[in-house]
Amino acid sequence: MSDLDAFRQEVRTWLDENCPQEMRTPMKGFEDACWGGRNYKFASQAQEDWLRAMAEKGWTVPTWPKEYGGGGLSKAEAKVLASEMKRIKARSPLSSFGIWMLGPALLKFGNEAQKMEHLPPIARGEIRWCQGYSEPGAGSDLAALATKCEDKGDHFLVNGQKVWTSYADKADWIFCLVRTDFEATKHNGISFVLFDMETPGVEAKPIKLISGRSPFCETFFEDVRVEKHNLVGELNKGWTIAKYLLTHEREMIGDIGGNRPISEIVAGSVGLDDNKKLADPMLRAKVAETEVDEWAYMLTLTRKLAEAKAGASLGADSSMLKYYGTELNKRRYELMMDAAGHDGLEWEGERSNDGDLARMWLRTKGNSIEGGTSEVQLNIISKHILRMPGA
Amino acid sequence: MGLVLTEEEKMISEMAEGFFADKAPVKQLRELRDNRDETGFDRGLWAEMAEMGFAGVLIDEDHGGSNMGFMEAGLIAEQMGRNLTASPFVSTAILAATALNKGGSAEQKKEWLPKIAGGETIMALALEEGRKHNPAATNMSAERSGNGFKLNGQKGMVMDGHVADQLIVVARTSGEAGDMDGLTLFLVDPKTKGIATERTQMVDSRNSARIEFEDVEVNADAVLGEVDNGAAVLKAIVNAGKAAIAAELLGTGGEAFRQTTDYIRERKQFGVEIGSFQALQHRSAHLYSELEICRSAVLMALTSMDMDAAGSEMPVAMAKAKLGSVSKLAGLEGVQMHGGVGMTDEYDIGLYLKRIRVAQELFGDANYQMEQIASMKGY
Ligand SMILES: Cc1cc2nc3c(=O)[nH]c(=O)nc-3n(C[C@H](O)[C@H](O)[C@H](O)COP(=O)(O)OP(=O)(O)OC[C@H]3O[C@@H](n4cnc5c(N)ncnc54)[C@H](O)[C@@H]3O)c2cc1C
Ligand SMILES: Cc1cc2nc3c(=O)[nH]c(=O)nc-3n(C[C@H](O)[C@H](O)[C@H](O)COP(=O)(O)OP(=O)(O)OC[C@H]3O[C@@H](n4cnc5c(N)ncnc54)[C@H](O)[C@@H]3O)c2cc1C
């Protein structure tokens, strides 16, 4: 038996003993995801047990080094773990901007003290992070950000406003882009700082979305004191870190894996004709087309990740994956709404689980906006991969 | 030809434009939604619409209507679409008036048409039973019983069903699900014993209901049109509904587009208006082209409704197909080009996306229409 086979056996046995049955059922909506954090209320004992068990193994972040709360697994081992989890339909134990975004950036750019302070609580789901990038005047043109950060000798002072800050009202800490040099060209005066959302002067106001939910906020900073050791990387060199983090964010948003095959969902809803075919032939063709694209997209994701050197990011290809994956996900939800017909239009009540499908459908419209819009991804592909003149 | 509005039609269109922008702008829909208004539209507005002759747009003067015609009905619907105006216009002035015009006895017309035109009676069509529009699949039964019928079954997506004073119920008196033969239409008082109505809150904040019928007794004179031969009248009703919704979507999609192009002309990133990026210009120009195509399709559908309602099925299906897909695109592009603000409830563009989602589904989505068109054409 190879080492990997032995590892698979070990994982299988461990999962069998430690993954609660409840955590082996599909999530009903994204509220079922576990986000962790200081004030987090677990949805169930099973959810809490599952997080604790996985965190103890370091398997919430399988490839992070052990000293930072990770599992220290090789890429191959992590794949085994993922496939074994998928086999028993285990839920992800933890959804976390810390894992998807900040962690990789700290691993690459953070100093030892920062890694020791922040990575283990992320891995254990104890501290929940939010992303302070966008501002009212700096969306696609992120580098135009104007939140001011002044050097006050032994500390920094932050003043300004962020917007679209997802879960700012629930997060414990924020990783935040600030301007530390107003004289330099716009990319050269940005710094990357971390601070506690409970610091005096921080205020998060929820914004209501078209889905009727309010997962994101306007976030205001008034004379917020930030300790100097919370600067990541060098002063005025934050843009490199910001961009590196974005490539990870994009891989995460682009990853639509784990969903039920669209053909399965749709077949149950519009019904079949006399020949046992989906009653709507046009929908049938579109579903098949989407299945082809989803299949090939997942393969591409796997291929690109396999090609990338261990620990390295995908660079500009993350834009291709983000663009394609999010547009695909939007298409998938359009088809699900088409298939659900009248039922999918309900917004409240038990029958529709309070309009879960309609609200999810609306939420997916943000996929091609968050983390850089589709247009921005296409611009990046044109410039950095195709090297188009003038791009 | 109908592709260019006459002076008179232009006047009606402008009058409707001013009326809805003034009396029923998007703000009104927001208020109805946020106050969880029980009626779901403003009854005062409906009374004014009746005064303007809008409620009786398809009703002849002998029955108290303004008899403006279908082109005018479409022009009114378009303006309602622009403003996301909630009103029983489609359910009552279009669907019910068509049902009575085509299938009503002299008595029934005399009793109901003046009340529709006067804005006193709200009617709702109880047709859909499944997830998708499919009249032939009607399963609800109407069995002969005593000197009348007994209705059993359930209906969904009944526009204005929870506030209707009368229901027009499509039920099966013979044949089986899948046949267009064997259908019969009934005029039913929703307060009749055995009827349970549940208002369903919809994604577009407009009115809809699910209605259950359990051993509901109606008299023989409740039949609208002929027993077992309801299909012809039903087709006329559905056709009128499609044409009105296509016209509404022209307004909704067109307004979503207008708001979007306005926004990208103003919003600045990278030191310039985002409308200066060719990536957005071309998609806007594309949508402009599609919407122009849509306008022709709608105008032709409306014209053919006025000229020859029976021969209008094809152009109406074509218009509904075209508007279904183009308005969807206008909504989707609208949100995307607005960026983050497009995802907020504060901006109106999301409300347009939602209404379009519902309206394109009514009386069959684009796929359904295309399937019908192909069948009518024989391929
Ligand atoms: C659901 C959601 C969650 C989010 N979460 C966070 C978060 O947690 N933290 C955070 O910091 N931000 C977050 N964002 C913000 C997101 O990153 C921005 O909305 C996004 O970068 C776009 O910026 P904007 O909204 O200002 O749109 P704009 O930049 O104003 O864009 C408007 C339109 O113009 C287009 N456009 C702009 N520039 C160009 C160009 N050069 N060429 C072609 N087209 C162009 C855009 O693609 C878009 O279609 C979130 C957004 C959403 C929708
Ligand atoms: C069948 C045919 C008949 C023609 N008849 C005539 C005629 O009768 N009289 C006459 O004067 N000319 C005629 N032309 C020439 C035609 O006007 C040019 O081919 C056309 O303007 C494109 O210019 P170009 O060939 O130099 O291509 P380019 O301008 O080099 O364009 C190449 C590609 O780039 C795209 N492109 C160019 N500029 C932009 C831009 N700003 N934004 C986005 N994309 C862009 C184009 O769409 C094209 O796909 C004809 C061409 C054809 C193919």
Side-chain angles (χ1 to χ4, degrees):
Chain A
M1 201 164 32
S2 77
D3 286 355
L4 222 48
D5 287 337
F7 180 69
R8 186 180 293 277
Q9 265 316 317
E10 185 193 321
V11 169
R12 198 171 280 195
T13 313
W14 187 88
L15 285 176
D16 213 44
E17 284 166 9
N18 290 280
C19 183
Q21 284 304 326
E22 267 181 64
M23 294 293 110
R24 303 183 192 195
T25 55
M27 298 197 209
K28 277 197 215 75
F30 49 19
E31 288 78 15
D32 277 358
C34 173
W35 288 93
R38 271 180 206 145
N39 306 313
Y40 192 66
K41 282 201 185 59
F42 289 94
S44 63
Q45 190 59 44
Q47 191 189 52
E48 186 171 355
D49 293 346
W50 179 222
L51 172 61
R52 297 257 179 280
M54 285 292 276
E56 210 164 292
K57 290 290 264 187
W59 286 357
T60 53
V61 280
T63 58
W64 288 11
K66 282 195 166 153
E67 62 267 37
Y68 305 136
L73 302 190
S74 68
K75 250 168 103 171
E77 287 169 331
K79 247 174 103 176
V80 167
L81 173 59
S83 77
E84 286 302 310
M85 284 174 67
K86 200 168 171 186
R87 198 180 58 84
I88 61 164
K89 300 197 172 73
R91 294 184 187 179
S92 164
L94 184 59
S95 298
S96 153
F97 290 2
I99 295 177
W100 301 325
M101 301 187 218
L102 180 64
L106 276 185
L107 282 168
K108 190 169 164 85
F109 296 99
N111 59 34
E112 195 50 34
Q114 288 167 337
K115 290 182 198 173
M116 287 309 291
E117 179 182 356
H118 297 297
L119 294 177
I122 288 175
R124 292 193 299 263
E126 290 164 3
I127 292 293
R128 182 171 181 179
W129 288 82
C130 65
Q131 177 188 33
Y133 273 34
S134 306
E135 296 177 8
S140 295
D141 186 10
L142 180 60
L145 61 96
T147 291
K148 187 159 104 185
C149 176
E150 294 166 280
D151 191 333
K152 293 283 174 189
D154 68 332
H155 68 275
F156 294 119
L157 203 63
V158 174
N159 278 286
Q161 187 201 335
K162 296 289 169 183
V163 73
W164 322 129
T165 329
S166 297
Y167 307 112
D169 54 339
K170 300 197 171 65
D172 306 310
W173 277 66
I174 186 169
F175 51 94
C176 195
L177 292 180
V178 292
R179 186 158 297 285
T180 34
D181 186 344
F182 279 81
E183 308 298 309
T185 54
K186 68 178 178 181
H187 297 97
N188 293 315
I190 295 170
S191 298
F192 193 105
V193 296
L194 313 173
F195 52 91
D196 194 317
M197 291 294 280
E198 282 177 12
T199 316
V202 178
E203 192 191 357
K205 283 192 190 154
I207 302 171
K208 192 164 157 209
L209 289 187
I210 54 177
S211 62
R213 297 174 173 143
S214 305
F216 65 25
C217 299
E218 287 180 286
T219 312
F220 299 91
F221 310 125
E222 201 189 328
D223 288 338
V224 175
R225 184 189 163 104
V226 176
E227 299 309 324
K228 286 213 154 159
H229 66 258
N230 285 331
L231 169 73
V232 181
E234 283 177 53
L235 195 70
N236 295 327
K237 297 271 165 60
W239 184 246
T240 313
I241 307 172
K243 276 197 303 185
Y244 178 80
L245 184 144
L246 277 174
T247 61
H248 281 275
E249 176 179 8
R250 285 166 187 159
E251 282 164 36
M252 177 274 293
I253 299 173
D255 184 2
I256 51 159
N259 285 323
R260 260 172 80 205
I262 176 107
S263 51
E264 237 176 65
I265 304 170
V266 168
S269 63
V270 276
L272 304 176
D273 67 11
D274 296 342
N275 301 316
K276 302 221 161 28
K277 293 178 177 173
L278 217 57
D280 176 343
M282 223 99 48
L283 180 67
R284 182 166 177 261
K286 285 187 196 160
V287 168
E289 185 184 38
T290 304
E291 287 224 278
V292 172
D293 287 345
E294 288 189 346
W295 172 73
Y297 175 75
M298 289 314 293
L299 293 176
T300 309
L301 198 61
T302 311
R303 179 168 68 85
K304 290 287 175 184
L305 287 170
E307 278 171 9
K309 289 192 205 76
S313 86
L314 293 176
D317 257 344
S318 68
S319 290
M320 180 273 289
L321 294 169
K322 197 270 179 182
Y323 165 68
Y324 207 90
T326 55
E327 294 296 336
L328 194 53
N329 200 36
K330 290 201 298 184
R331 244 202 283 158
R332 159 184 265 262
Y333 274 87
E334 286 292 330
L335 289 179
M336 278 162 52
M337 286 294 283
D338 287 346
H342 305 134
D343 289 0
L345 302 171
E346 288 192 24
W347 191 240
E348 288 179 8
E350 229 171 280
R351 196 173 28 236
S352 65
N353 192 14
D354 268 336
D356 197 53
L357 177 60
R359 291 172 199 265
M360 287 290 282
W361 162 70
L362 288 163
R363 174 62 184 84
T364 62
K365 301 306 169 207
N367 294 159
S368 53
I369 298 172
E370 61 200 313
T373 64
S374 280
E375 290 77 9
V376 163
Q377 308 311 324
L378 293 174
N379 286 346
I380 292 172
I381 296 168
S382 303
K383 183 171 175 177
H384 294 286
I385 300 179
L386 304 179
R387 305 204 177 280
M388 287 298 169
Chain B
M1 196 179 49
L3 291 175
V4 178
L5 296 187
T6 63
E7 281 310 311
E8 214 171 314
E9 287 161 353
K10 259 191 218 149
M11 241 178 57
I12 301 268
S13 174
E14 279 162 21
M15 180 174 77
E17 185 180 354
F19 178 83
F20 290 110
D22 180 35
K23 309 268 176 178
V26 179
K27 197 165 86 60
Q28 187 181 66
L29 180 73
R30 286 185 178 276
E31 280 164 14
L32 292 166
R33 178 192 72 172
D34 296 342
N35 299 335
R36 301 186 73 87
D37 187 272
E38 276 179 23
T39 309
F41 59 85
D42 177 0
R43 284 190 189 269
L45 174 79
W46 184 235
E48 282 190 70
M49 285 174 71
E51 259 168 55
M52 301 280 289
F54 294 173
V57 64
L58 298 182
I59 297 171
D60 61 29
E61 279 143 22
D62 290 347
H63 290 100
S66 58
N67 202 19
M68 288 193 249
F70 224 97
M71 174 61 79
E72 287 73 5
L75 295 173
I76 294 165
E78 180 188 353
Q79 294 307 325
M80 295 179 62
R82 275 195 181 285
N83 293 289
L84 302 180
T85 305
S87 91
F89 183 74
V90 172
S91 62
T92 304
I94 302 291
L95 301 175
T98 302
L100 286 154
N101 281 338
K102 302 287 173 190
S105 63
E107 308 262 282
Q108 287 166 329
K109 286 184 184 171
K110 210 173 122 205
E111 180 173 7
W112 296 111
L113 287 175
K115 288 185 186 156
I116 291 177
E120 296 150 51
T121 293
I122 289 162
M123 289 202 182
L125 176 70
L127 165 63
E128 309 294 356
E129 295 179 12
R131 291 186 158 103
K132 304 295 278 188
H133 175 66
N134 190 354
T138 298
N139 202 19
M140 165 143 178
S141 70
E143 281 171 48
R144 287 201 185 267
S145 141
N147 92 35
F149 294 84
K150 196 191 273 177
L151 307 181
N152 273 294
Q154 49 190 9
K155 296 288 183 180
M157 205 68 220
V158 184
M159 273 185 275
D160 297 313
H162 73 298
V163 282
D165 305 301
Q166 283 289 313
L167 298 172
I168 297 170
V169 181
V170 182
R172 184 166 292 288
T173 33
S174 68
E176 52 190 273
D179 302 341
M180 275 306 272
D181 289 334
L183 298 179
T184 305
L185 275 55
F186 296 89
L187 265 172
V188 182
D189 182 338
K191 290 193 282 296
T192 314
K193 192 163 152 261
I195 297 184
T197 303
E198 175 202 355
R199 181 183 185 184
T200 42
Q201 301 290 343
M202 306 303 272
V203 62
D204 63 347
S205 310
R206 298 277 275 277
N207 284 339
S208 187
R210 288 187 183 246
I211 306 182
E212 284 188 35
F213 298 78
E214 206 191 323
D215 293 333
V216 175
E217 311 259 3
V218 294
N219 287 332
D221 64 5
V223 172
L224 186 69
E226 288 174 44
V227 174
D228 284 349
N229 279 329
V233 178
L234 179 59
K235 274 189 181 165
I237 300 173
V238 166
N239 206 40
K242 283 185 197 176
I245 294 290
E248 180 189 327
L249 279 172
L250 182 63
T252 315
E255 178 61 18
F257 175 66
R258 192 195 64 76
Q259 290 183 6
T260 303
T261 45
D262 275 4
Y263 183 77
I264 69 173
R265 280 193 193 94
E266 298 284 323
R267 165 73 173 164
K268 280 192 175 172
Q269 283 290 273
F270 304 99
V272 294
E273 292 80 11
I274 57 176
S276 68
F277 299 128
Q278 204 170 50
L280 304 190
Q281 287 173 351
H282 278 194
R283 276 149 59 198
S284 305
H286 172 72
L287 258 175
Y288 166 79
S289 312
E290 286 282 17
L291 286 163
E292 284 299 309
I293 299 287
C294 281
R295 179 166 300 280
S296 310
V298 168
L299 287 171
M300 195 60 214
L302 297 173
T303 304
S304 65
M305 288 295 291
D306 278 331
M307 284 170 40
D308 169 18
S312 64
E313 245 179 273
M314 180 72 83
V316 166
M318 286 179 151
K320 179 67 173 43
K322 194 66 201 159
L323 268 296
S325 49
V326 173
S327 63
K328 238 178 175 178
L329 182 67
L332 295 174
E333 286 284 54
V335 169
Q336 179 66 21
M337 292 197 210
H338 273 76
V341 297
M343 292 295 292
T344 65
D345 185 64
E346 187 188 336
Y347 274 68
D348 288 340
I349 190 69
L351 297 176
Y352 283 81
L353 178 76
K354 293 175 185 181
R355 174 58 189 166
I356 288 166
R357 216 334 133 179
V358 176
Q360 61 84 37
E361 188 70 55
L362 298 171
F363 308 112
D365 61 12
N367 287 357
Y368 176 89
Q369 309 303 337
M370 290 190 278
E371 184 62 24
Q372 296 279 304
I373 292 160
S375 300
M376 281 189 265
K377 296 229 170 201
Y379 58 82

